[in-house]
Amino acid sequence: MPPVENDSGKKELKSQIQELIDSNQVIVFSKSYCPFCVKVKDLFKELQVECNVVELDLMDNGTSYQEMLLEMTGQKTVPNVFINKKHIGGCDKTLQVSNESQIGWLFLSQLERGENKPRGCQRMMPLSQEAPRSLSSASTDECLFLSSVKHNWDTMKTAVNNYIGSLNWGYRVSLRDKNVNYVNAYAEFVEPHKIKATNKRGKETFYTGAKFVLATGERPRYLGIPGDKEYCITSDDLFSLPYCPGKTLVIGASYVALECGGFLAGLGLDVTVMVRSILLRGFDQDMANRAGEHMEEHGVKFLRKYVPTKIEELEAGTPGRLKVTAKSTETDEIIEGEYNTVLIAVGRDACTDKLGLDMAGVKVNPKNGKIPVNDEEQTNVPHIHAIGDILEGKWELTPVAIQAGKLLARRLYGGSTVKVFTTLDVTRSSGGDITQSGC
Ligand code: NAP
């Protein structure tokens, strides 16, 4: 058939294409030899989603179809994908929507409106957590592939790591744009104005500076019981775990523990939280108990008033099988349980012990490794500043640390006098009920 040139022919072609779009849940306008089209078709196959394919190169009027698609969508190339009558785009866009998380396939309409988009680590967990529950309450309009959706740990892990990788990449680019020299190495003071930097290969380089800013953050604490470091994971490891954790015991009852437990249970895993005393110490207890009840209603089990004493491996694997022994905090009772994964979330320690702070004369609270600073984030050594979670008695929140860093740079080098803690200095140590949403 020759290319369509007159107006009525175009009108007819447009309505033919529109009918294809309207009558197929998924339609891919493709070319049989195009590798990007193959990728998209394979993706639907993998997701077990039925898709209708129109191979434009095998049709007489394929070129006219392609031109009309350009007019209708602004996209000239193939694959050109439509789902539930919505134009998705080409290969990259389709993979991106799929990768953003399984829920992206379910609630495309919401994602397109910009709602529910993961904006940071705090958005990722609840989003994934909502997936199975949303399946049962989704309307047909919202739900694209209700019958075929399964959570895929590897897809989620890759999406989370890609997102974090993109953040890190963005920071690296910003540093380069501002002519900041980026050095990837462990730093340790050897003199008050001199540090030794040791890179991954063990190469040592010495740097001197007029001023220093410490921002080393915290790392998860372990329990100090047999088997904890060998067999358990922490929240820092969760999103790089190469396999689905399976039946999981979460040890700890603060917000990191409950967030991780809630998110894993939301994915449909068998989750138990071992609580030493109360849920969410330091938070309003009425709210804390409501959070606990809500989790229980959604299948999370709680072992209250127990502490673990030993973790043993029963079987290696991905995941393997672990035996956990715990004792009651109130009686002599000893209990045992079997899990695939044990996640420890019993607090985090400031990473200050290997910085050689004694060589620089910086004072540290010996009880918790935290560094006291004045309202200018200045340590007891005037040319050494500190920001973030390593500060004694300050807010442990990523946005606060970022703002503190910006304001400190402006004060040190831009003539500014604005301080971060003048308005925010309601310290945690004051005992107030200050709720934090976490990173
Ligand atoms: P946490 O708030 O320090 O609470 C520790 C929890 O573990 C409590 O429930 C505690 O129980 C329990 N626990 C402690 N030792 C235990 C043991 N030996 N056996 C059993 N349970 C034990 O801990 P988290 O939620 O893991 O971490 C919170 C920290 O993460 C914050 O302090 C913050 O520094 C950091 N953080 C920072 C950001 C950020 O944006 N900068 C974001 C997230 C987290 P009890 O109540 O009985 O003591």
Side-chain angles (χ1 to χ4, degrees):
M1 204 192 279
V4 177
E5 296 210 312
N6 60 38
D7 275 357
S8 72
K10 274 185 163 183
K11 231 173 159 181
E12 197 185 319
L13 180 66
K14 190 172 181 179
S15 76
Q16 272 175 21
I17 295 178
Q18 194 58 52
E19 205 184 318
L20 281 169
I21 295 168
D22 291 345
S23 57
N24 288 290
Q25 194 183 36
V26 178
I27 182 143
V28 179
F29 294 94
S30 158
K31 285 186 182 167
S32 57
Y33 55 81
C34 161
F36 301 104
C37 300
V38 171
K39 233 181 183 172
V40 163
K41 287 180 271 185
D42 284 350
L43 171 74
F44 287 114
K45 221 182 275 169
E46 199 186 300
L47 291 167
Q48 298 177 335
V49 170
E50 195 184 318
C51 83
N52 246 296
V53 179
V54 181
E55 300 288 12
L56 299 182
D57 60 315
L58 304 180
M59 296 164 64
D60 288 342
N61 58 347
T63 314
S64 305
Y65 259 68
Q66 196 161 358
E67 273 160 18
M68 183 51 75
L69 280 165
L70 169 65
E71 202 178 303
M72 289 167 76
T73 65
Q75 179 187 327
K76 172 124 205 250
T77 53
V78 290
N80 201 337
V81 180
F82 293 79
I83 301 175
N84 259 9
K85 303 178 201 174
K86 284 178 201 294
H87 179 233
I88 303 299
C91 177
D92 284 352
K93 189 69 214 261
T94 309
L95 293 176
Q96 185 200 330
V97 171
S98 147
N99 274 339
E100 272 186 352
S101 77
Q102 294 290 331
I103 208 163
W105 288 100
L106 279 172
F107 299 109
L108 199 64
S109 53
Q110 291 177 13
L111 287 170
E112 279 178 342
R113 289 199 301 268
E115 298 163 17
N116 284 350
K117 269 214 168 119
R119 278 181 294 270
C121 54
Q122 74 271 36
R123 295 296 306 144
M124 289 183 189
M125 293 209 276
L127 253 182
S128 312
Q129 180 186 337
E130 281 304 317
R133 251 179 278 144
S134 305
L135 277 173
S136 54
S137 58
S139 71
T140 27
D141 177 44
E142 289 172 324
C143 197
L144 294 172
F145 305 121
L146 192 55
S147 56
S148 59
V149 170
K150 291 193 292 258
H151 185 263
N152 181 313
W153 182 268
D154 199 50
T155 305
M156 180 197 70
K157 188 200 79 179
T158 307
V160 171
N161 284 297
N162 285 346
Y163 179 73
I164 294 168
S166 73
L167 288 181
N168 289 341
W169 176 252
Y171 288 134
R172 292 278 295 276
V173 170
S174 307
L175 288 173
R176 203 184 46 205
D177 286 350
K178 299 271 189 295
N179 291 323
V180 176
N181 188 18
Y182 171 81
V183 178
N184 193 338
Y186 283 98
E188 185 188 343
F189 278 100
V190 287
E191 289 172 24
H193 280 279
K194 188 173 184 181
I195 58 158
K196 177 173 79 179
T198 310
N199 75 8
K200 272 188 277 195
R201 288 185 293 278
K203 184 171 178 272
E204 293 178 355
T205 311
F206 291 85
Y207 296 89
T208 55
K211 297 186 195 312
F212 292 83
V213 180
L214 309 175
T216 48
E218 295 178 309
R219 284 277 182 257
R221 189 177 303 149
Y222 281 84
L223 291 156
I225 59 169
D228 65 345
K229 285 210 166 137
E230 293 94 318
Y231 306 123
C232 301
I233 62 164
T234 69
S235 57
D236 280 12
D237 310 314
L238 192 57
F239 289 116
S240 35
L241 200 65
Y243 51 84
C244 177
K247 184 181 175 187
T248 302
L249 174 70
V250 177
I251 300 172
S254 199
Y255 57 88
V256 173
L258 299 192
E259 248 177 23
C260 291
F263 138 73
L264 293 174
L267 297 183
L269 301 184
D270 181 336
V271 175
T272 305
V273 178
M274 188 177 283
V275 183
R276 177 168 71 175
S277 55
I278 53 170
L279 299 186
L280 297 167
R281 177 178 300 287
F283 288 76
D284 178 284
Q285 280 303 295
D286 179 39
M287 292 308 291
N289 291 329
R290 282 169 195 244
E293 280 161 24
H294 177 82
M295 289 177 74
E296 261 168 335
E297 278 162 24
H298 287 90
V300 176
K301 288 165 268 181
F302 287 92
L303 281 172
R304 291 172 194 265
K305 309 270 168 78
Y306 288 100
V307 284
T309 52
K310 190 167 51 170
I311 320 286
E312 295 162 281
E313 186 176 57
L314 298 174
E315 190 186 325
T318 52
R321 281 190 309 124
L322 300 171
K323 181 171 129 186
V324 179
T325 309
K327 68 171 198 277
S328 162
T329 58
E330 295 179 326
T331 66
D332 294 336
E333 191 195 3
I334 305 279
I335 56 165
E336 288 176 352
E338 212 182 290
Y339 303 90
N340 297 117
T341 299
V342 177
L343 187 151
I344 301 175
V346 295
R348 299 170 67 93
D349 290 323
C351 300
T352 51
D353 56 333
K354 296 192 178 82
L355 291 177
L357 294 178
D358 49 336
M359 299 301 278
V362 175
K363 274 196 196 131
V364 174
N365 179 345
K367 284 194 192 133
N368 57 14
K370 299 236 174 184
I371 301 175
V373 291
N374 63 14
D375 64 354
E376 308 237 16
E377 289 98 27
Q378 197 170 32
T379 70
N380 63 305
V381 179
H383 70 273
I384 301 180
H385 294 76
I387 54 173
D389 285 6
I390 55 173
L391 299 189
E392 169 93 329
K394 304 288 185 192
W395 287 64
E396 293 153 338
L397 291 166
T398 304
V400 174
I402 291 172
Q403 187 66 2
K406 280 185 187 164
L407 295 179
L408 176 61
R410 285 178 202 155
R411 288 198 309 275
L412 291 179
Y413 300 107
S416 165
T417 54
V418 181
K419 305 173 199 172
V420 74
F421 283 120
T422 43
T423 49
L424 276 175
D425 203 8
V426 192
T427 61
R428 297 198 73 198
S429 51
S430 67
D433 272 336
I434 303 157
T435 44
Q436 301 177 53
S437 60
C439 162

